[in-house]
Amino acid sequence: MVQELIDLRNCILEGRNKDALAIVDELESITKQATLRNIGSFLLIILIHLIKNQVEQRLTNSWAASIAN
């Protein structure tokens, strides 16, 4: 990501607006993908905790905190 920012800066300084916009689009895509990965990770964690809770019929403080997060 650092290299993309350097390239973006150079494109802007050199007046290559189309190239700069392409880099911005790429960075936006990377951000969306990272957000979706984070959501998937959180969903997996909550699902595991909910299954454990259902099986063990109890909810520990750490599980409750994790689910709340």
Side-chain angles (χ1 to χ4, degrees), residues 45-67:
I45 290 168
I46 195 168
L47 182 60
I48 290 169
H49 286 308
L50 291 173
I51 291 170
K52 285 181 180 180
N53 180 44
Q54 187 70 29
V55 170
E56 296 184 11
Q57 295 295 313
R58 66 185 179 94
L59 185 64
T60 65
N61 290 336
S62 65
W63 292 358
S66 180
I67 290 169

mmCIF file of all heavy atoms in Angstrom, residues 45-67:
data_model
loop_
_atom_site.group_PDB
_atom_site.id
_atom_site.type_symbol
_atom_site.label_atom_id
_atom_site.label_comp_id
_atom_site.label_asym_id
_atom_site.label_seq_id
_atom_site.Cartn_x
_atom_site.Cartn_y
_atom_site.Cartn_z
ATOM 1 N N ILE A 45 -16.226 -15.499 14.564
ATOM 2 C CA ILE A 45 -16.018 -15.504 16.016
ATOM 3 C C ILE A 45 -17.343 -15.566 16.754
ATOM 4 O O ILE A 45 -17.529 -16.363 17.674
ATOM 5 C CB ILE A 45 -15.204 -14.266 16.443
ATOM 6 C CG1 ILE A 45 -13.759 -14.403 15.961
ATOM 7 C CG2 ILE A 45 -15.235 -14.080 17.967
ATOM 8 C CD1 ILE A 45 -12.951 -13.126 16.073
ATOM 9 N N ILE A 46 -18.286 -14.727 16.356
ATOM 10 C CA ILE A 46 -19.578 -14.712 17.058
ATOM 11 C C ILE A 46 -20.317 -16.033 16.854
ATOM 12 O O ILE A 46 -20.947 -16.542 17.777
ATOM 13 C CB ILE A 46 -20.439 -13.501 16.656
ATOM 14 C CG1 ILE A 46 -21.579 -13.326 17.657
ATOM 15 C CG2 ILE A 46 -20.989 -13.623 15.271
ATOM 16 C CD1 ILE A 46 -22.320 -12.019 17.522
ATOM 17 N N LEU A 47 -20.217 -16.611 15.671
ATOM 18 C CA LEU A 47 -20.864 -17.889 15.418
ATOM 19 C C LEU A 47 -20.278 -18.981 16.308
ATOM 20 O O LEU A 47 -21.018 -19.777 16.904
ATOM 21 C CB LEU A 47 -20.725 -18.272 13.942
ATOM 22 C CG LEU A 47 -21.384 -19.561 13.507
ATOM 23 C CD1 LEU A 47 -22.886 -19.508 13.752
ATOM 24 C CD2 LEU A 47 -21.103 -19.825 12.043
ATOM 25 N N ILE A 48 -18.969 -19.014 16.440
ATOM 26 C CA ILE A 48 -18.325 -20.005 17.302
ATOM 27 C C ILE A 48 -18.777 -19.836 18.748
ATOM 28 O O ILE A 48 -19.119 -20.802 19.427
ATOM 29 C CB ILE A 48 -16.790 -19.911 17.188
ATOM 30 C CG1 ILE A 48 -16.341 -20.411 15.810
ATOM 31 C CG2 ILE A 48 -16.094 -20.696 18.296
ATOM 32 C CD1 ILE A 48 -14.892 -20.118 15.480
ATOM 33 N N HIS A 49 -18.798 -18.593 19.220
ATOM 34 C CA HIS A 49 -19.227 -18.352 20.598
ATOM 35 C C HIS A 49 -20.688 -18.735 20.808
ATOM 36 O O HIS A 49 -21.049 -19.306 21.840
ATOM 37 C CB HIS A 49 -19.002 -16.891 20.987
ATOM 38 C CG HIS A 49 -17.571 -16.553 21.226
ATOM 39 N ND1 HIS A 49 -16.755 -17.268 22.066
ATOM 40 C CD2 HIS A 49 -16.789 -15.564 20.730
ATOM 41 C CE1 HIS A 49 -15.547 -16.730 22.079
ATOM 42 N NE2 HIS A 49 -15.544 -15.700 21.264
ATOM 43 N N LEU A 50 -21.525 -18.431 19.849
ATOM 44 C CA LEU A 50 -22.944 -18.780 19.993
ATOM 45 C C LEU A 50 -23.155 -20.289 19.984
ATOM 46 O O LEU A 50 -23.988 -20.811 20.736
ATOM 47 C CB LEU A 50 -23.773 -18.098 18.900
ATOM 48 C CG LEU A 50 -23.875 -16.580 19.025
ATOM 49 C CD1 LEU A 50 -24.566 -16.006 17.795
ATOM 50 C CD2 LEU A 50 -24.610 -16.176 20.291
ATOM 51 N N ILE A 51 -22.387 -21.008 19.170
ATOM 52 C CA ILE A 51 -22.482 -22.471 19.157
ATOM 53 C C ILE A 51 -22.002 -23.041 20.490
ATOM 54 O O ILE A 51 -22.650 -23.919 21.069
ATOM 55 C CB ILE A 51 -21.689 -23.069 17.974
ATOM 56 C CG1 ILE A 51 -22.386 -22.725 16.654
ATOM 57 C CG2 ILE A 51 -21.534 -24.576 18.127
ATOM 58 C CD1 ILE A 51 -21.568 -23.047 15.424
ATOM 59 N N LYS A 52 -20.876 -22.534 20.990
ATOM 60 C CA LYS A 52 -20.372 -22.990 22.285
ATOM 61 C C LYS A 52 -21.403 -22.728 23.377
ATOM 62 O O LYS A 52 -21.634 -23.579 24.245
ATOM 63 C CB LYS A 52 -19.072 -22.266 22.639
ATOM 64 C CG LYS A 52 -17.868 -22.730 21.885
ATOM 65 C CD LYS A 52 -16.649 -21.937 22.345
ATOM 66 C CE LYS A 52 -15.397 -22.332 21.642
ATOM 67 N NZ LYS A 52 -14.235 -21.547 22.116
ATOM 68 N N ASN A 53 -22.010 -21.568 23.338
ATOM 69 C CA ASN A 53 -23.020 -21.218 24.332
ATOM 70 C C ASN A 53 -24.203 -22.171 24.259
ATOM 71 O O ASN A 53 -24.721 -22.618 25.284
ATOM 72 C CB ASN A 53 -23.485 -19.779 24.127
ATOM 73 C CG ASN A 53 -24.524 -19.351 25.127
ATOM 74 O OD1 ASN A 53 -24.396 -19.628 26.311
ATOM 75 N ND2 ASN A 53 -25.550 -18.680 24.656
ATOM 76 N N GLN A 54 -24.629 -22.501 23.071
ATOM 77 C CA GLN A 54 -25.764 -23.404 22.889
ATOM 78 C C GLN A 54 -25.439 -24.799 23.405
ATOM 79 O O GLN A 54 -26.252 -25.432 24.079
ATOM 80 C CB GLN A 54 -26.149 -23.467 21.408
ATOM 81 C CG GLN A 54 -27.404 -24.237 21.121
ATOM 82 C CD GLN A 54 -28.644 -23.504 21.617
ATOM 83 O OE1 GLN A 54 -28.663 -22.292 21.679
ATOM 84 N NE2 GLN A 54 -29.664 -24.249 21.963
ATOM 85 N N VAL A 55 -24.234 -25.282 23.114
ATOM 86 C CA VAL A 55 -23.833 -26.625 23.517
ATOM 87 C C VAL A 55 -23.610 -26.711 25.021
ATOM 88 O O VAL A 55 -24.080 -27.640 25.674
ATOM 89 C CB VAL A 55 -22.555 -27.063 22.757
ATOM 90 C CG1 VAL A 55 -21.983 -28.350 23.323
ATOM 91 C CG2 VAL A 55 -22.863 -27.231 21.275
ATOM 92 N N GLU A 56 -22.917 -25.729 25.571
ATOM 93 C CA GLU A 56 -22.553 -25.785 26.983
ATOM 94 C C GLU A 56 -23.597 -25.154 27.901
ATOM 95 O O GLU A 56 -23.486 -25.249 29.110
ATOM 96 C CB GLU A 56 -21.190 -25.122 27.192
ATOM 97 C CG GLU A 56 -20.076 -25.860 26.467
ATOM 98 C CD GLU A 56 -18.710 -25.277 26.746
ATOM 99 O OE1 GLU A 56 -18.579 -24.438 27.651
ATOM 100 O OE2 GLU A 56 -17.762 -25.671 26.049
ATOM 101 N N GLN A 57 -24.566 -24.512 27.329
ATOM 102 C CA GLN A 57 -25.648 -23.877 28.095
ATOM 103 C C GLN A 57 -25.117 -22.893 29.153
ATOM 104 O O GLN A 57 -25.648 -22.805 30.254
ATOM 105 C CB GLN A 57 -26.527 -24.935 28.764
ATOM 106 C CG GLN A 57 -27.272 -25.803 27.788
ATOM 107 C CD GLN A 57 -28.292 -25.016 26.976
ATOM 108 O OE1 GLN A 57 -29.056 -24.236 27.522
ATOM 109 N NE2 GLN A 57 -28.302 -25.215 25.673
ATOM 110 N N ARG A 58 -24.062 -22.191 28.801
ATOM 111 C CA ARG A 58 -23.540 -21.156 29.688
ATOM 112 C C ARG A 58 -22.826 -20.104 28.846
ATOM 113 O O ARG A 58 -22.430 -20.361 27.716
ATOM 114 C CB ARG A 58 -22.594 -21.722 30.734
ATOM 115 C CG ARG A 58 -21.309 -22.298 30.173
ATOM 116 C CD ARG A 58 -20.464 -22.955 31.266
ATOM 117 N NE ARG A 58 -19.253 -23.517 30.702
ATOM 118 C CZ ARG A 58 -18.088 -22.891 30.641
ATOM 119 N NH1 ARG A 58 -17.981 -21.666 31.109
ATOM 120 N NH2 ARG A 58 -17.041 -23.462 30.107
ATOM 121 N N LEU A 59 -22.676 -18.933 29.437
ATOM 122 C CA LEU A 59 -22.019 -17.833 28.732
ATOM 123 C C LEU A 59 -20.995 -17.222 29.679
ATOM 124 O O LEU A 59 -21.352 -16.649 30.701
ATOM 125 C CB LEU A 59 -23.051 -16.778 28.314
ATOM 126 C CG LEU A 59 -22.567 -15.625 27.461
ATOM 127 C CD1 LEU A 59 -22.073 -16.140 26.112
ATOM 128 C CD2 LEU A 59 -23.687 -14.615 27.246
ATOM 129 N N THR A 60 -19.715 -17.367 29.346
ATOM 130 C CA THR A 60 -18.669 -16.803 30.202
ATOM 131 C C THR A 60 -18.540 -15.306 29.920
ATOM 132 O O THR A 60 -19.019 -14.802 28.908
ATOM 133 C CB THR A 60 -17.316 -17.484 29.949
ATOM 134 O OG1 THR A 60 -16.910 -17.196 28.619
ATOM 135 C CG2 THR A 60 -17.402 -18.982 30.162
ATOM 136 N N ASN A 61 -17.860 -14.607 30.822
ATOM 137 C CA ASN A 61 -17.656 -13.174 30.648
ATOM 138 C C ASN A 61 -16.871 -12.858 29.383
ATOM 139 O O ASN A 61 -17.175 -11.893 28.679
ATOM 140 C CB ASN A 61 -16.945 -12.577 31.875
ATOM 141 C CG ASN A 61 -17.828 -12.542 33.098
ATOM 142 O OD1 ASN A 61 -19.042 -12.532 32.985
ATOM 143 N ND2 ASN A 61 -17.204 -12.504 34.255
ATOM 144 N N SER A 62 -15.858 -13.678 29.082
ATOM 145 C CA SER A 62 -15.066 -13.414 27.885
ATOM 146 C C SER A 62 -15.893 -13.617 26.621
ATOM 147 O O SER A 62 -15.751 -12.886 25.648
ATOM 148 C CB SER A 62 -13.814 -14.299 27.857
ATOM 149 O OG SER A 62 -14.163 -15.652 27.752
ATOM 150 N N TRP A 63 -16.750 -14.643 26.613
ATOM 151 C CA TRP A 63 -17.608 -14.862 25.459
ATOM 152 C C TRP A 63 -18.586 -13.710 25.302
ATOM 153 O O TRP A 63 -18.828 -13.235 24.208
ATOM 154 C CB TRP A 63 -18.381 -16.166 25.583
ATOM 155 C CG TRP A 63 -17.551 -17.412 25.503
ATOM 156 C CD1 TRP A 63 -16.211 -17.495 25.299
ATOM 157 C CD2 TRP A 63 -18.016 -18.734 25.629
ATOM 158 N NE1 TRP A 63 -15.817 -18.795 25.300
ATOM 159 C CE2 TRP A 63 -16.908 -19.589 25.500
ATOM 160 C CE3 TRP A 63 -19.263 -19.307 25.844
ATOM 161 C CZ2 TRP A 63 -17.004 -20.969 25.569
ATOM 162 C CZ3 TRP A 63 -19.354 -20.685 25.913
ATOM 163 C CH2 TRP A 63 -18.237 -21.500 25.780
ATOM 164 N N ALA A 64 -19.171 -13.271 26.412
ATOM 165 C CA ALA A 64 -20.123 -12.162 26.366
ATOM 166 C C ALA A 64 -19.446 -10.896 25.845
ATOM 167 O O ALA A 64 -20.015 -10.178 25.018
ATOM 168 C CB ALA A 64 -20.720 -11.918 27.740
ATOM 169 N N ALA A 65 -18.213 -10.640 26.282
ATOM 170 C CA ALA A 65 -17.477 -9.464 25.817
ATOM 171 C C ALA A 65 -17.160 -9.579 24.331
ATOM 172 O O ALA A 65 -17.278 -8.606 23.586
ATOM 173 C CB ALA A 65 -16.199 -9.293 26.628
ATOM 174 N N SER A 66 -16.758 -10.772 23.902
ATOM 175 C CA SER A 66 -16.444 -10.980 22.496
ATOM 176 C C SER A 66 -17.676 -10.803 21.617
ATOM 177 O O SER A 66 -17.611 -10.184 20.560
ATOM 178 C CB SER A 66 -15.843 -12.369 22.289
ATOM 179 O OG SER A 66 -15.523 -12.586 20.946
ATOM 180 N N ILE A 67 -18.798 -11.342 22.050
ATOM 181 C CA ILE A 67 -20.050 -11.210 21.299
ATOM 182 C C ILE A 67 -20.470 -9.750 21.247
ATOM 183 O O ILE A 67 -20.877 -9.243 20.195
ATOM 184 C CB ILE A 67 -21.146 -12.093 21.915
ATOM 185 C CG1 ILE A 67 -20.816 -13.568 21.672
ATOM 186 C CG2 ILE A 67 -22.510 -11.753 21.334
ATOM 187 C CD1 ILE A 67 -21.678 -14.536 22.448
#
